[in-house]
Amino acid sequence: VGKTTLIQKASEVLKSSGVPVDGFYTEEVRQGGRRIGFDVVTLSGARGPLSRIGSELPPGKRECCVGQYVVDLTSFERLTLPVLR
C-alpha cells in the first residue's frame, strides 16, 4: 500500500521546509527474496534490528516472540524511547 514510502517522503518534505519532525517506522528486511525480519528506523536515520525469524539474542538481552519473530526489545527501546520522550 506504500505506508512506509509515504512516511519517508512526507518527513523529507517537512524537513526540507524547515519543519522539525521526529518519529520512527519499521522496515522489512529481506534476504534472498525472503522476509527475515524488520528493522526500526528513526526519522533522523538511526537504524537497528526490531525482529528476526528465530534469531537468538545474546544472554542478558530481553526478548519476546511474535509469531515466528524474535523481538529485540533492547534495540527497539534504545531507538524509540528517546523519540517518544
Side-chain angles (χ1 to χ4, degrees):
V1 174
K3 298 177 294 291
T4 300
T5 302
L6 176 64
I7 292 296
Q8 291 169 329
K9 290 185 185 238
S11 68
E12 288 171 15
V13 169
L14 290 169
K15 285 180 192 178
S16 68
S17 299
V19 177
V21 296
D22 209 358
F24 64 90
Y25 58 91
T26 60
E27 192 168 80
E28 184 179 61
V29 177
R30 297 183 80 77
Q31 186 176 59
R34 183 174 156 253
R35 182 191 303 155
I36 61 164
F38 296 89
D39 281 353
V40 61
V41 183
T42 67
L43 295 182
S44 63
R47 172 186 290 269
L50 172 61
S51 65
R52 295 293 185 268
I53 292 176
S55 66
E56 293 191 21
L57 299 173
K61 282 202 166 193
R62 295 181 354 197
E63 65 181 67
C64 67
C65 292
V66 178
Q68 63 183 339
Y69 298 98
V70 176
V71 178
D72 185 338
L73 289 175
T74 303
S75 173
F76 178 73
E77 289 176 344
R78 178 179 52 81
L79 289 165
T80 61
L81 288 181
V83 170
L84 295 173
R85 287 190 178 115

